[in-house]
Amino acid sequence: MKFIIPILAVFGCLIGNGAASADPPIRPGDHVAIVGNTFADQLRIHGYLETLLLQKTSDTPISIRNLGWGGDMLTARDRPTNFPTEETTLRDHQTDVIVACFGMGESFAGERGIEKFKADLEAWIESHRGKKYNEKTEVRLVLVSPIACEDLGHLTPDLDGRNRDLQSYTRAMREVAESADIAFIDLFEPSRYLMDEQQGPNLTTNGIHLNQYGYWAISRTFFNQLFPEHDETPPWQMRMDANAKTGTAIGVELADIVSDETGLQFRVTETTPPHLPPPVDNPLPPQLEFLRDTLAVENLPPGTYALSVDGEHVATASADQWTKGVAIDASPAHAEAESVRAAVNDKNLQFTYSWKALNQVHIVGERRSSPSGRALPGEVIQFSELAKERDANLAKRIRLATRQWRLSRVTQ
């Protein structure tokens, strides 16, 4: 039975023309710092990109500190009085790689601001070039473009003008990155491609700020561009024939296929982690539907069949639907992947409490000499230790298992 995966062209559209270096800009064991605007800041509360990176590097896990700040631009990065310098935080984290997300705020200056933006980018690169924040090797840099502006009707006036400017600023970032020989991630073109698709939920809340679904979708293309010529991890694709008791698969291995009048059972050994389930129940656009783990079973007798994994219900569909393929997002493996993402978000919260605490006035401001101000620095240190502790345990939560799957006919 031939197994066809019609996703390579789709991946090409979603990947775009990103990082082009021979080696991926992020490597196993790296300490990564993310800096930049609201897009960067909100990566920490959704956790999709970091979870994907942890899944890929679980044997030698990466460690991420998100230093994003809502509204940041290259030359406008306001901080409270006496706030720790960015360089101090980069050295504390022993940073190997800085991922910089800029261009959205700057793009509002329009065409007249592009040359200044390029000069500011070049200055930012020079400010880090040659620095050894990890005390061993020169820091590597990754530039990340803004996303496109989504058409949300009256919420997004001058949509075409905004996207012309965002495209120009993305092009400027690419030129600077190529000139400096550093990695570049283009999120503008893939996001515009998805936004132009009629089917599927909106990606943003106001045209330029991604919602949770938007971060789920864009994190995948971000991840793929970080590893453009390396082992992309396609979704699980399982196709079986109930009559022949045979099957082919990508991402997992199938064994011990047994069928009878009540259904089909088989053993699945996970060789790659599952894809993170989308955070919506709405139908997805075709480009993203192909990114979901899928099971297809041919030649089932007519009827309705329920899928269980290790005794836990996962999905129910008709024989015709199983023939076409059913997205598998709720298996125990997917629940475990979601628990990793939740742990990532918790780690990021502990770091945020230690680095960007809400009550800065008591820590570095005018009330730092008050009783509560004197107590808070110790608490901040405890939050930092909690972040490190959680960081060390994240990869241990990622596991590949062998599980028993069963497709049972549902009696009426």
Side-chain angles (χ1 to χ4, degrees), residues 2 4 36 44 59 62 67 76 98 111 147 149 176 197 218 247 267 335 341 360 374 392 402 406:
K2 189 174 179 181
I4 301 173
R44 68 181 169 83
D59 290 338
I62 59 162
L67 313 183
I98 301 175
E111 290 291 328
I147 64 167
C149 184
V176 170
E197 176 60 53
I218 296 303
R267 191 171 73 248
R341 189 174 71 89
Q360 291 288 327
R374 289 195 298 270
T402 297
R406 179 168 181 80

Side-chain angles (χ1 to χ4, degrees), residues 101-316:
C101 309
F102 292 105
M104 178 59 77
E106 291 89 343
S107 71
F108 286 93
E111 290 291 328
R112 69 183 184 278
I114 288 180
E115 291 307 312
K116 180 181 183 303
F117 176 60
K118 292 174 71 172
D120 291 339
L121 273 175
E122 291 165 354
W124 181 85
I125 292 169
E126 286 305 312
S127 73
H128 292 287
R129 191 183 295 276
K131 297 286 182 66
K132 296 181 179 180
Y133 299 118
N134 62 8
E135 300 179 351
K136 295 177 293 185
T137 57
E138 293 183 4
V139 68
R140 304 191 300 277
L141 305 176
V142 181
L143 292 184
V144 181
S145 84
I147 64 167
C149 184
E150 186 174 31
D151 185 359
L152 296 184
H154 71 279
L155 294 177
T156 50
D158 192 25
L159 177 73
D160 292 340
R162 288 295 304 127
N163 276 324
R164 279 195 301 271
D165 288 341
L166 287 164
Q167 186 174 43
S168 295
Y169 278 72
T170 297
R171 187 181 303 116
M173 292 187 84
R174 182 189 297 278
E175 292 170 0
V176 170
E178 290 177 350
S179 177
D181 193 27
I182 64 175
F184 172 68
I185 304 297
D186 180 356
L187 298 184
F188 174 79
E189 288 297 343
S191 61
R192 184 170 65 168
Y193 177 70
L194 289 174
M195 290 169 181
D196 286 345
E197 176 60 53
Q198 295 300 307
Q199 182 174 323
N202 291 331
L203 275 76
T204 67
T205 58
N206 61 358
I208 60 174
H209 293 152
L210 293 171
N211 55 30
Q212 185 178 2
Y213 166 74
Y215 274 100
W216 172 81
I218 296 303
S219 290
R220 172 54 63 175
T221 188
F222 196 149
F223 174 82
N224 285 337
Q225 286 191 55
L226 286 169
F227 306 96
E229 297 179 0
H230 295 260
D231 52 330
E232 292 169 8
T233 305
W236 292 354
Q237 297 283 324
M238 295 167 275
R239 181 169 290 277
M240 308 179 70
D241 187 318
N243 281 345
K245 301 178 186 178
T246 59
T248 58
I250 289 179
V252 300
E253 295 176 352
L254 305 176
D256 298 340
I257 302 171
V258 177
S259 66
D260 56 30
E261 65 278 0
T262 66
L264 186 73
Q265 65 180 15
F266 48 99
R267 191 171 73 248
V268 174
T269 298
E270 299 150 12
T271 57
T272 63
H275 275 213
L276 292 164
V280 292
D281 294 327
N282 314 53
L284 300 183
Q287 306 95 315
L288 296 180
E289 192 65 42
F290 283 125
L291 296 178
R292 301 173 78 176
D293 298 328
T294 303
L295 169 65
V297 182
E298 299 174 351
N299 295 319
L300 285 169
T304 300
Y305 293 81
L307 173 68
S308 63
V309 177
D310 284 350
E312 296 185 26
H313 178 263
V314 174
T316 300

